[in-house]
Amino acid sequence: MIQVTDLAMSFGADTLFKDVSLTFQKGNCYGVIGANGAGKTTFLKILSGELEPSRGHVSVSSGERISVLKQDHSVYNSYSAFDTIVMGNEALYALMRERDEIYAKSDFSDEDGMRAAELEGDFAEMGGWEAESDASKIIQGLGLEESQLFDLMESMSERDKIKVLVAQALFGEPDILLMDEPTNGLDIASVSWLEDFLLEFEGALIVVSHDRHFLNTICTHIVDIDYTKMVMYPGNYEFWYESSQLMQRIAKQQAKKRDERAKELMEFIARFSANKSKSKQATSRKKMLEKLTVEQMPASSRKYPFVAYEVDREAGKDILTVSGLSKSVDGELVLNNISFTLSKGDKAAFVGEYDIANTVLFKILNGEMEPDSGSYKWGVSITKSYFPQDNTEYFKNGNISILKWLEQYSKDTAESYLRGMLGRMLFSQEEALKPVGVLSGGERVRCMLSRMMMYGANTLVMDQPTNHLDLEAITALNNGLVAFKGNIVFSSHDHEFISTIANRIIELSPEGIEDYKGTFDEYLESKLSLAK
């Protein structure tokens, strides 16, 4: 258990949060949410002891071990994957090192023998004999080969290093697990395995994530950081979002009688409580929601961007034809004889482990790169708007204001129109005058989305559009693309984003293409059945 009492954190004149008193219990999973910069990562660092708060304190039950998902894998480059994983349990790793050093001595003494015997007992008690098999099971679950367990970290790919650090955090049955963006860099299959693992985790889990499907699957509680306040609510992210939206609507209808409001809210709670799921977390959430009172409902003041893409000209029957497209980058075959046809109404998600294949394909389709062989043809009625994964080229002139930046791409240069577009994306009157050179990654993405909204295109090409966005912006973009009447070609690692938008799934790999016409969840089920 973790007890947080009267916690506050400030950096100079800026207060992230204050007056925070919360209890985190064993058996629950707590999703920490809040706008970018609200202090989510800082809060996890305070819980782990990495940072000292400005005020208040954190107490952990005696004897309980905290495990933290590390972010910097370069510090482990000289170690094997196995050593890196076992370092997740510092006491066991220290014992193993001392034990191995004693046995490696050439002048082994009686005193060494006594110490070795003592260490052997502790080693067995701490599960040392099972360490290798436990570590192997975890990395295989995350998609690595058993043979990679003793590879040096410096020889592994960035994606594989991330998986090793996730394994490090999970290793050794910690009592408390702190994870900051654990799904970043993981493929869909690895995320699914991680969800299943965490559903069975018996300790206290506290996680920061922008992956709504992940939060909905594993969370029993949501901790909302909202304008320096931190409040805990029962339920997963979907319940928090839907109920906070409902509470905001009711707050605007003050004329409603209290009993009418209460009836509406309790009907809403009952609907969520009835959701079927096999997970332990879902059972726990159901019991909590059944006991929830109207006064305990989320009343977040969080603001959401408004994303809506209008179509100026309806697309014809022919959208896109790709024939035998191949492309190598730096001597590596990235696209291998790719062929497919998009029809009117298709919203195609490009998924898989090879992000570079999607990015190269999108660049070719946007005319920014030439294929080595093959061809593509857009329909004559198609108007496109492109969202690149790397937007650096669009912000080369860092001295101009956001307002002037947007003006470059607009047919209507009236300041009132431009401010209206920026206001949709939560850039206030003053913020619209900020130079683009100081913008965060999320702010740049919001600028790019504003730019796209002005075009009236009937086809959107979007490469990882949710990167750098907070949950509010992701939700707004998600809703906007669901409502979009045109065609979409996009890539993403966000399960919820893909499953609610796409009606067609295309997976690119070095072997070629797998084209599935259906929803993302249906696609995953088909992959699972084939694996069996």
Side-chain angles (χ1 to χ4, degrees):
M1 183 181 79
I2 298 182
Q3 183 70 50
V4 176
T5 307
D6 195 28
L7 200 70
M9 190 66 186
S10 300
F11 293 99
D14 296 327
T15 298
L16 290 180
F17 42 79
K18 60 183 180 180
D19 305 324
V20 178
S21 293
L22 299 171
T23 301
F24 298 93
Q25 299 276 12
K26 180 180 177 181
N28 289 332
C29 172
Y30 304 88
V32 182
I33 64 172
N36 286 346
K40 302 183 293 293
T41 295
T42 299
F43 182 60
L44 257 60
K45 287 182 176 180
I46 292 172
L47 295 182
S48 70
E50 183 179 342
L51 279 179
E52 284 292 324
S54 303
R55 188 181 69 244
H57 63 274
V58 175
S59 59
V60 179
S61 297
S62 177
E64 294 197 337
R65 181 171 73 85
I66 296 179
S67 183
V68 180
L69 174 60
K70 304 291 197 306
Q71 302 296 325
D72 184 4
H73 49 64
S74 62
V75 300
Y76 300 101
N77 277 347
S78 61
Y79 297 95
S80 69
F82 175 68
D83 280 349
T84 302
I85 292 168
V86 177
M87 284 179 193
N89 186 339
E90 294 179 0
L92 175 60
Y93 184 72
L95 188 152
M96 288 175 62
R97 288 291 299 271
E98 184 182 354
R99 172 177 169 268
D100 292 345
E101 287 172 2
I102 289 176
Y103 285 134
K105 284 185 175 183
S106 57
D107 54 343
F108 193 85
S109 65
D110 290 342
E111 187 177 315
D112 289 329
M114 293 177 63
R115 178 58 179 160
E118 183 183 343
L119 290 174
E120 288 292 356
D122 293 341
F123 183 74
E125 188 176 336
M126 295 177 68
W129 294 112
E130 293 80 39
E132 185 175 330
S133 62
D134 289 347
S136 179
K137 288 176 185 176
I138 296 174
I139 65 165
Q140 288 183 73
L142 290 167
L144 299 181
E145 298 293 331
E146 185 177 10
S147 59
Q148 292 179 269
L149 191 60
F150 291 97
D151 288 351
L152 276 179
M153 287 286 281
E154 65 180 355
S155 69
M156 303 179 80
S157 68
E158 294 300 304
R159 186 183 294 270
D160 289 350
K161 288 179 181 179
I162 290 170
K163 291 181 178 181
V164 171
L165 290 191
V166 172
Q168 180 192 72
L170 303 180
F171 176 78
E173 300 181 358
D175 301 290
I176 298 164
L177 183 53
L178 307 179
M179 308 188 83
D180 191 354
E181 299 292 358
T183 63
N184 278 5
L186 297 185
D187 54 82
I188 296 293
S190 299
V191 172
S192 179
W193 181 89
L194 179 60
E195 288 173 349
D196 290 340
F197 185 98
L198 294 177
L199 286 172
E200 297 298 321
F201 180 66
E202 295 182 353
L205 170 61
I206 305 172
V207 61
V208 171
S209 177
H210 287 97
D211 188 328
R212 294 163 298 160
H213 183 272
F214 185 72
L215 293 176
N216 286 333
T217 301
I218 68 172
C219 287
T220 59
H221 296 75
I222 293 296
V223 177
D224 181 29
I225 306 177
D226 188 21
Y227 292 100
T228 75
K229 294 181 180 180
M230 198 179 299
V231 184
M232 183 186 294
Y233 301 101
N236 59 11
Y237 177 75
E238 182 184 7
F239 179 80
W240 176 90
Y241 172 72
E242 295 288 350
S243 57
S244 66
Q245 293 291 294
L246 179 59
M247 289 297 288
Q248 285 185 6
R249 289 196 298 271
I250 288 176
K252 293 177 182 178
Q253 301 170 352
Q254 294 297 332
K256 266 194 173 184
K257 294 180 181 178
R258 179 176 174 80
D259 56 345
E260 291 178 354
R261 286 170 25 214
K263 181 181 178 183
E264 184 176 359
L265 287 170
M266 297 318 294
E267 287 175 352
F268 173 82
I269 292 170
R271 176 167 62 84
F272 266 87
S273 297
N275 284 353
K276 293 181 179 179
S277 177
K278 296 179 181 179
S279 75
K280 293 179 180 178
Q281 278 79 351
T283 303
S284 177
R285 286 196 302 264
K286 181 178 185 295
K287 293 177 180 178
M288 293 172 189
L289 296 183
E290 286 173 344
K291 299 176 183 178
L292 196 60
T293 66
V294 174
E295 288 73 20
Q296 294 173 309
M297 294 284 282
S300 175
S301 58
R302 197 78 50 74
K303 291 183 179 180
Y304 290 77
F306 176 77
V307 180
Y309 293 103
E310 303 294 336
V311 174
D312 288 346
R313 177 189 181 189
E314 187 175 347
K317 183 178 179 181
D318 297 327
I319 305 300
L320 173 66
T321 301
V322 174
S323 304
L325 218 61
S326 293
K327 179 68 178 180
S328 293
V329 177
D330 297 329
E332 181 182 354
L333 184 63
V334 174
L335 298 178
N336 184 9
N337 194 29
I338 302 300
S339 298
F340 62 91
T341 300
L342 291 186
S343 303
K344 187 175 182 179
D346 278 347
K347 294 183 176 182
F350 285 73
V351 302
E353 294 186 39
Y354 300 93
D355 291 342
I356 188 173
N358 299 331
T359 296
V360 168
L361 175 63
F362 290 0
K363 284 185 175 182
I364 291 172
L365 296 180
N366 198 51
E368 295 185 0
M369 188 179 282
E370 290 294 325
D372 295 334
S373 61
S375 62
Y376 68 93
K377 183 180 180 181
W378 289 100
V380 294
S381 64
I382 296 303
T383 54
K384 303 191 308 294
S385 187
Y386 175 55
F387 180 99
Q389 184 175 166
D390 183 359
N391 57 40
T392 306
E393 289 293 318
Y394 292 84
F395 295 93
K396 276 190 170 182
N397 185 357
N399 296 319
I400 62 173
S401 68
I402 300 175
L403 195 64
K404 287 296 182 182
W405 180 88
L406 190 64
E407 185 181 327
Q408 300 174 106
Y409 305 104
S410 180
K411 293 178 182 178
D412 187 343
T413 58
E415 184 173 330
S416 59
Y417 170 76
L418 296 172
R419 283 190 177 276
M421 293 300 297
L422 292 173
R424 288 181 170 191
M425 299 307 294
L426 303 184
F427 290 111
S428 65
Q429 296 288 317
E430 291 183 4
E431 286 179 323
L433 300 178
K434 281 201 310 189
V436 295
V438 302
L439 298 182
S440 66
E443 288 173 324
R444 285 189 176 192
V445 171
R446 285 191 279 135
C447 284
M448 294 294 290
L449 296 176
S450 295
R451 168 184 169 273
M452 292 181 72
M453 281 194 286
M454 300 188 301
Y455 288 174
N458 56 35
T459 301
L460 306 179
V461 181
M462 310 183 84
D463 190 6
Q464 300 289 345
T466 62
N467 286 1
H468 306 294
L469 292 179
D470 57 22
L471 279 168
E472 292 72 43
I474 292 173
T475 302
L477 176 60
N478 197 154
N479 293 340
L481 294 183
V482 168
F484 180 59
K485 301 300 183 184
N487 291 75
I488 309 176
V489 178
F490 72 101
S491 67
S492 177
H493 293 296
D494 187 313
H495 187 125
E496 189 79 7
F497 194 77
I498 301 171
S499 64
T500 53
I501 296 170
N503 55 21
R504 185 170 175 182
I505 309 298
I506 298 176
E507 180 176 351
L508 302 181
S509 71
E511 289 72 42
I513 183 172
E514 181 177 348
D515 191 348
Y516 184 88
K517 295 184 179 180
T519 67
F520 186 51
D521 289 328
E522 291 169 345
Y523 163 78
L524 292 177
E525 287 178 12
S526 71
K527 295 276 283 188
L528 186 61
S529 62
L530 286 175
K532 292 178 179 179

